[in-house]
Amino acid sequence: MTSVTNTFAPTPDSDAESRKYLRKIDHLASYLLGGKYDSSADLWNFQIELMELQRKIQESISAEKNRSRRSRGNSTKLRNLKYARYSSRRLGDAFAWLLLGGESRLINPLGENDPVPIGKESHGSRGLMAVSSYLANEGWGFPVIHDITDLLRIGDVTFLQPGQGGGIRTVELKTRHLGSDGEVDGSLQYEVSVNFLAHKDDPAIELSAEIGTKSANVSGDVGAVEPPSLPKRDDRRIARQTKRMARALTRQRARDGEVSTIDGEETLTAIVSPSVEPHWKTLRRIIRKARVDGYSSALVDKAFLYIAFYDASGVKEESFQNSKMIDDVTSSGLIESRVSSRNSIQVYSIPEGETRRPQQYLPYFLYSIPKKAVLDLLHGRLSILVLANAGHIADALEDCGFDVSIPVDTESPIHSIEISAEVEFEGERYRFRTDTVASRVLDCVYGIKGVDHLLNTAQKMKETVPPFMRDRPRGEE
């Protein structure tokens, strides 16, 4: 097994500025997780405070980049500042996850875009916050600001309607600065266009016109509210954004077993209910033991080895070379699947750290572990690794009736697993095939769900296929 490290945690001797930011994130996390808010105004202020913190961290990162570039040296401080930025965005993800009820059918479609950088305060951000607050007061629901998250990358704000039967509406806001009002001391004038997808009889269209959009053109049953008052150079960008929002809305509204056309391709939706209990008891147990001994591990479903390291002064590099861990990996049977050629250990770190892809699984801030343990993860006093073996995952899938294929010499066997199975429908046999196992494995790892969640997901996908075959040529996959 190769050397194991956690490159995403802050260094134990981190600089004062990075520690200051982590303490602020700690404060905000404690406020959110402790349920110390009493009203929607408190949650709105939480977003504002988190956004301001993220901007300060980004300013510090830019300054440190310039300093380290001049000195031509590696900057440990830069690494720690980036970790603080990641942690603040992951806290924003946790906030959005809570308010959206952890529903992947609502969350995931809004992440299918490139990462959105943290921007400085600008006319656009001021217009966004002002209009979001205004629309909330007009009954649109509570506004979740996408900029504080890494998870929500399509649109600027999503409004949540409370109560049973409540829905969501994602909007894109475009702001034009019209100048200052000389008669009102310090005031600024903005024109803000609200762009969203709506049914033709949606009352929100009339309201959007009242706050700055000169007209609202809706084509067909569902259309985009166009902002004709914006400059022509914005037309293509708005068209792209509208297309992304339309794609996200189609995915959000898709029903279980329903075929939707997205970007010209037929897409089958299989909604998997959380029928498998996560292994929180196991995780809490090894955390308690690690707090006493500095290290603990536990095997789950033969395929995953959970490992916890603890050091009150910060988990150090040498902690990951613990000889007990090597013994546990060997004695646990993790590396002994039925087909030896498929044995391959993949190491996952919690927290994961920054990635270009959206982290569409439970943020560690929301783990069902003591709040103290969550904050230990934030500060690097606790580190969790999950070791997974592609061979055992393949064994479990085969035991569930799937054929498993892993490409030879692939860099990441777990993330290259393909599964297939025969499906019978109306007297004909078809072959179901998917290569989406990788994303489900990440959900198992970071959602602490184990192999059963993966098996349930794969089985649900296979069961959803037969109705999809009704109008397709015989023999087609």
Side-chain angles (χ1 to χ4, degrees):
M1 187 177 67
T2 57
S3 175
V4 176
T5 59
N6 182 352
T7 59
F8 303 116
T11 56
D13 55 346
S14 59
D15 59 281
E17 189 172 23
S18 299
R19 290 198 302 271
K20 176 188 71 175
Y21 289 138
L22 288 182
R23 286 195 297 271
K24 184 61 177 176
I25 297 168
D26 181 314
H27 170 75
L28 289 172
S30 297
Y31 178 85
L32 182 65
L33 302 181
K36 298 178 181 179
Y37 44 87
D38 295 319
S39 65
S40 59
D42 291 338
L43 292 175
W44 174 252
N45 290 332
F46 173 90
Q47 292 187 96
I48 294 175
E49 197 169 350
L50 183 56
M51 181 181 292
E52 291 174 348
L53 174 62
Q54 290 175 352
R55 287 175 179 158
K56 289 178 182 177
I57 296 173
Q58 186 59 47
E59 289 173 3
S60 295
I61 287 174
S62 298
E64 182 58 21
K65 279 183 176 179
N66 291 333
R67 189 201 66 77
S68 59
R69 192 179 297 118
R70 290 193 301 269
S71 64
R72 297 183 179 181
N74 294 326
S75 173
T76 301
K77 180 179 180 180
L78 181 59
R79 168 187 155 176
N80 290 327
L81 287 170
K82 287 183 176 179
Y83 174 79
R85 177 179 64 189
Y86 161 78
S87 300
S88 69
R89 293 298 283 267
R90 204 58 176 138
L91 180 58
D93 288 345
F95 178 83
W97 190 280
L98 280 174
L99 268 66
L100 287 165
E103 291 195 45
S104 58
R105 69 177 184 86
L106 300 179
I107 297 170
N108 292 357
L110 295 176
E112 303 304 321
N113 199 6
D114 293 331
V116 179
I118 297 172
K120 297 180 179 179
E121 185 178 11
S122 63
H123 293 308
S125 65
R126 294 189 196 102
L128 184 151
M129 299 304 285
V131 171
S132 295
S133 178
Y134 173 83
L135 291 174
N137 291 331
E138 290 295 318
W140 277 39
F142 182 83
V144 176
I145 305 301
H146 292 193
D147 280 355
I148 67 169
T149 79
D150 180 60
L151 190 61
L152 306 181
R153 300 179 176 186
I154 293 176
D156 291 318
V157 57
T158 292
F159 291 91
L160 311 177
Q161 285 285 354
Q164 188 173 4
I168 69 170
R169 177 183 285 116
T170 295
V171 305
E172 185 93 26
L173 301 174
K174 296 300 177 188
T175 301
R176 176 191 287 176
H177 178 217
L178 301 179
S180 303
D181 189 341
E183 298 181 3
V184 180
D185 187 30
S187 69
L188 298 171
Q189 294 183 1
Y190 296 108
E191 179 184 83
V192 181
S193 295
V194 183
N195 313 297
F196 59 97
L197 297 176
H199 290 285
K200 58 186 177 182
D201 57 350
D202 194 327
I205 294 175
E206 182 179 350
L207 177 58
S208 69
E210 292 176 2
I211 64 171
T213 302
K214 294 180 179 178
S215 66
N217 300 320
V218 181
S219 57
D221 184 41
V222 177
V225 176
E226 300 284 342
S229 59
L230 289 178
K232 291 292 184 182
R233 66 176 181 271
D234 282 341
D235 288 350
R236 283 180 294 178
R237 185 173 64 173
I238 291 170
R240 289 195 301 269
Q241 291 165 340
T242 300
K243 185 177 180 180
R244 284 195 292 265
M245 286 196 292
R247 185 169 57 240
L249 185 62
T250 300
R251 291 184 58 195
Q252 288 175 331
R253 289 181 173 176
R255 297 179 181 178
D256 190 20
E258 181 179 82
V259 178
S260 306
T261 301
I262 300 176
D263 292 340
E265 294 185 358
E266 290 183 321
T267 301
L268 179 64
T269 299
I271 299 174
V272 181
S273 301
S275 57
V276 176
E277 281 294 319
H279 295 277
W280 296 126
K281 289 183 179 179
T282 300
L283 187 61
R284 289 193 291 263
R285 185 177 72 249
I286 67 169
I287 289 173
R288 287 195 301 270
K289 193 170 186 303
R291 196 177 292 279
V292 175
D293 300 332
Y295 165 87
S296 184
S297 73
L299 184 69
V300 170
D301 297 340
K302 295 183 180 179
F304 298 106
L305 185 68
Y306 297 168
I307 301 174
F309 300 91
Y310 179 82
D311 188 327
S313 62
V315 176
K316 303 172 182 62
E317 192 75 17
E318 53 268 27
S319 299
F320 297 100
Q321 310 310 317
N322 191 312
S323 60
K324 183 69 169 64
M325 181 184 70
I326 305 300
D327 292 340
D328 286 354
V329 172
T330 304
S331 63
S332 66
L334 179 70
I335 58 178
E336 298 173 0
S337 67
R338 287 198 297 257
V339 182
S340 59
S341 61
R342 296 194 302 205
N343 286 327
S344 173
I345 303 299
Q346 181 83 29
V347 181
Y348 302 90
S349 171
I350 302 174
E352 181 182 10
E354 290 182 309
T355 60
R356 281 196 61 80
R357 57 174 168 74
Q359 297 181 6
Q360 297 175 323
Y361 35 78
L362 184 68
Y364 77 89
F365 283 102
L366 303 181
Y367 278 10
S368 185
I369 58 178
K371 186 176 73 174
K372 182 178 181 180
V374 171
L375 299 179
D376 283 339
L377 281 170
L378 168 67
H379 292 284
R381 296 186 292 263
L382 173 67
S383 182
I384 296 171
L385 300 180
V386 179
L387 277 57
N389 185 354
H392 281 301
I393 292 174
D395 290 348
L397 286 164
E398 286 177 344
D399 290 343
C400 201
F402 292 94
D403 296 322
V404 179
S405 171
I406 302 178
V408 179
D409 298 328
T410 181
E411 184 177 344
S412 178
I414 278 184
H415 297 162
S416 303
I417 293 176
E418 294 183 2
I419 62 173
S420 62
E422 282 196 349
V423 179
E424 185 173 344
F425 182 66
E426 294 184 346
E428 297 286 342
R429 300 189 72 81
Y430 303 87
R431 179 155 288 273
F432 154 77
R433 178 179 285 109
T434 180
D435 59 359
T436 60
V437 172
S439 58
R440 303 284 72 80
V441 169
L442 290 174
D443 197 27
C444 291
V445 169
Y446 291 102
I448 318 297
K449 294 178 181 177
V451 170
D452 284 348
H453 175 72
L454 174 62
L455 301 180
N456 285 4
T457 303
Q459 191 65 33
K460 174 66 174 180
M461 293 171 68
K462 188 176 76 169
E463 291 171 355
T464 307
V465 168
F468 179 52
M469 299 298 182
R470 187 184 305 278
D471 300 320
R472 304 182 69 82
R474 296 303 188 190
E476 183 173 338
E477 290 187 356

